[in-house]
Amino acid sequence: MPPASTPTTADIAAAHPPRAGRDGLALTAICLVALMFGLEISSVPVILPTLEQQLGTGFQDAQWIMNAYTLACTSVLMAAGTLADRFGRRRILVLCLWVFGLASLACGLASEASTLIVARFVQGVGAGAMMICQFAILSHQFREPKARARAFALWGVIAGVGLGFGPMVGALILAVADWRWVFLVHAPLTLLTLALLRVSVQESRDPAAHRLDIAGMTTLTLTVFALVYFITQGTESGFGTPVMLGWAGLSVAGLLLFIFIERRSAQPMFDFSVFRIQRFNGALMGSVGMNFSFWPFMIYLPLYFQAGLGYDTMTAGGALLAYTLPTLLVPPLAERLALRYGAERIIPLGLGMMGAGFIVMAAVNQADQPSIALFLLGCAIAGAGLALTNSPTTNTTTGSVSADRAGMASGIDFSARLITLALNIALMGLVLILGIAQYLVDVLPGTTAAQWATLSQEIAAGKLDTLTLPGLTETGPAIAQAALRHGAGWTMLYAGLGACALGLLSRLFFLRGKGDTR
């Protein structure tokens, strides 16, 4: 019998599972990270109409609830990779999981919109850093090529499940519990992930890690935030007011300063010379196109289904599956098509399909009683287009540069996605409000500019009982619903034409880059 202080074989085995077991637990932990990240993007839009009722959020509040998360992810993206390389990937991931879990708890306990928005920003800080750390951990944990390929394939499936089924998860939570559990559910998931990381993931560092580009990170975040603030708040405050013009000027100044800093930096966060590679630019249009149209429109789709078409939350969540499910089912086909025909054909094709799907939705929306079957067909076409675009885009952005620049290219790709998403959440909101206002001007010619501006904001937030002008007490809600559908049609057309234009631009870059060399 060994002394009490001497660990037994069973103790050692429990503390250090066999390598295969550790790898399985590590992969489970990383997949949980991907699942939580995806759910926090795609499940939250479903609860926005409920937040309007229970927290009294307005239209701008709803935009900031989504954009706070996106902007925070963007702001820490590059810094997290550098910090993880320097201080340890597992250590930074554990820290960020604590940030994410506690912020999720704060989101679920929020009693007003401002608290929720701040908590969402902190949650996004943790989420953005988590996303960067997990790639490095997977690559270090699974060094054998076949095992690494299997690990990344499973990670991709789980990430797709989080994004694809998020709307249904959000709707189910609303049906059986409370909107708060859309956030609170991440607290136990975070604790489980932390426990798995502790017993499975090996610590790793990069001794040659670059220094942290604080100036570049700060100016880029300032640029994007100022521009998003200008677009979002300008609809309420007026774009021509001195304050709003000041925000626009701050965005321009931030961009110029960012470019100046990065061009003079010995180790820039963004190496602008990569934009001379036309194949990289062609693939980057895919990243921009997906987040120009598909992902930002997901925020406004639940509003359209519930307030515009009159569906309940559960039905709206189910309908959203037609929008998101192809993003999970089509990627294997996209990979085979890209291998056979080349990413230079598949990426523009995917963007074109995405645009066609939105144009179909816009056309169906014109009917007095839109056919739900045809509308969901348009959703499915758009989702299939995104799935055709996504994986070839990621592979091409990193594959079009030399191996030593692949990490930087991947960072630019991911940053472009998040920045485009943040800007187009705001821009689509602006298009929606303009479309609503244009309808109100036509049907309510006696309404003053101040009145229809206020009404447009309230209708865009789903408050369809706000048209209480003299003589309109009975027909007001019907006019509001028609105005909302009209504005939503504008956003569909905006998304469709934008995706098609970016598809053509992508094809042009690829044609110009046939002679590219690394």
Side-chain angles (χ1 to χ4, degrees):
M1 182 76 177
S5 59
T6 303
T8 66
T9 304
D11 293 331
I12 296 173
H16 301 282
R19 176 59 190 262
R22 290 202 310 271
D23 286 350
L25 293 175
L27 181 57
T28 302
I30 298 302
C31 285
L32 281 173
V33 170
L35 180 68
M36 289 189 289
F37 182 87
L39 285 175
E40 277 307 280
I41 292 177
S42 63
S43 65
V44 174
V46 179
I47 69 171
L48 292 178
T50 302
L51 292 179
E52 181 273 320
Q53 297 171 6
Q54 297 192 14
L55 292 187
T57 57
F59 184 61
Q60 275 81 19
D61 293 328
Q63 289 180 297
W64 282 114
I65 287 168
M66 294 302 301
N67 251 342
Y69 185 83
T70 305
L71 288 169
C73 287
T74 306
S75 66
V76 303
L77 192 61
M78 294 297 187
T82 302
L83 291 173
D85 287 343
R86 180 175 295 180
F87 298 107
R89 282 80 178 248
R90 189 181 75 167
R91 178 178 296 174
I92 297 299
L93 178 57
V94 167
L95 175 63
C96 294
L97 275 165
W98 277 111
V99 171
F100 179 84
L102 291 173
S104 298
L105 193 62
C107 287
L109 298 176
S111 59
E112 56 185 19
S114 58
T115 305
L116 180 55
I117 291 169
V118 172
R120 282 282 285 171
F121 184 87
V122 177
Q123 190 187 39
V125 169
M130 284 174 1
M131 283 298 290
I132 292 299
C133 292
Q134 64 181 342
F135 298 129
I137 288 175
L138 277 182
S139 296
H140 184 265
Q141 192 85 17
F142 297 90
R143 301 186 184 184
E144 196 273 319
K146 288 186 178 179
R148 181 181 296 179
R150 287 194 296 268
F152 271 96
L154 182 58
W155 173 89
V157 170
I158 299 302
V161 168
L163 288 169
F165 285 91
M168 181 57 77
V169 171
L172 282 171
I173 289 174
L174 280 182
V176 301
D178 183 78
W179 66 265
R180 298 179 184 279
W181 282 100
V182 170
F183 302 108
L184 293 176
V185 70
H186 294 291
L189 287 176
T190 298
L191 292 176
L192 174 60
T193 306
L194 287 167
L196 292 173
L197 286 173
R198 182 177 179 84
V199 300
S200 64
V201 173
Q202 305 168 353
E203 186 59 279
S204 62
R205 295 178 178 84
D206 179 6
H210 293 168
R211 65 178 180 83
L212 188 61
D213 186 3
I214 296 176
M217 180 183 68
T218 303
T219 51
L220 179 62
T221 303
L222 175 65
T223 299
V224 178
F225 177 82
L227 183 55
V228 169
Y229 190 90
F230 171 73
I231 297 170
T232 302
Q233 301 302 125
T235 56
E236 183 176 13
S237 303
F239 291 103
T241 61
V243 173
M244 288 297 104
L245 291 176
W247 280 103
L250 183 61
S251 178
V252 172
L255 177 61
L256 294 175
L257 187 57
F258 171 73
I259 294 172
F260 175 78
I261 290 170
E262 295 303 289
R263 285 190 174 277
R264 291 178 62 87
S265 175
Q267 296 175 337
M269 186 170 70
F270 272 45
D271 183 355
F272 290 103
S273 66
V274 76
F275 294 113
R276 297 173 189 158
I277 303 172
Q278 301 303 319
R279 186 171 177 82
F280 177 86
N281 293 336
L284 196 64
M285 292 303 101
S287 298
V288 171
M290 289 183 290
N291 294 279
F292 184 96
S293 54
F294 189 88
W295 292 119
F297 188 68
M298 178 182 277
I299 295 171
Y300 302 105
L301 205 48
L303 174 69
Y304 176 78
F305 279 133
Q306 293 180 55
L309 299 182
Y311 293 154
D312 59 31
T313 302
M314 197 65 190
T315 306
L320 278 169
L321 273 181
Y323 193 69
T324 58
L325 198 56
T327 67
L328 179 61
L329 301 178
V330 177
L333 173 62
E335 287 290 344
R336 288 197 292 270
L337 290 175
L339 287 173
R340 181 170 182 177
Y341 298 106
E344 64 274 11
R345 292 184 177 86
I346 300 305
I347 292 174
L349 173 64
L351 290 172
M353 280 186 62
M354 207 183 311
F358 281 105
I359 292 171
V360 169
M361 291 183 229
V364 173
N365 182 61
Q366 293 295 313
D368 292 336
Q369 296 293 329
S371 166
I372 187 60
L374 291 178
F375 191 88
L376 293 182
L377 175 63
C379 289
I381 293 172
L386 178 127
L388 284 178
T389 307
N390 189 26
S391 182
T393 292
T394 303
N395 293 339
T396 307
T397 50
T398 54
S400 59
V401 301
S402 56
D404 61 317
R405 304 171 79 195
M408 179 272 302
S410 178
I412 292 178
D413 175 24
F414 202 45
S415 295
R417 296 180 187 224
L418 291 175
I419 291 170
T420 306
L421 176 60
L423 290 177
N424 274 280
I425 288 173
L427 284 172
M428 276 194 178
L430 174 60
V431 172
L432 176 65
I433 287 176
L434 291 176
I436 293 172
Q438 191 269 333
Y439 185 89
L440 293 179
V441 169
D442 288 344
V443 300
L444 303 173
T447 310
T448 66
Q451 282 178 313
W452 62 250
T454 301
L455 291 171
S456 297
Q457 294 278 340
E458 294 179 343
I459 291 170
K463 301 174 182 178
L464 302 188
D465 58 348
T466 55
L467 280 178
T468 56
L469 298 177
L472 290 176
T473 53
E474 295 183 1
T475 59
I479 292 176
Q481 187 177 48
L484 177 61
R485 282 184 46 204
H486 184 78
W490 277 32
T491 63
M492 296 168 198
L493 196 59
Y494 165 81
L497 294 177
C500 289
L502 288 164
L504 291 174
L505 191 57
S506 173
R507 183 59 179 160
L508 177 62
F509 277 127
F510 278 122
L511 290 174
R512 291 177 58 187
K514 283 186 175 180
D516 270 348
T517 59
R518 293 184 185 179

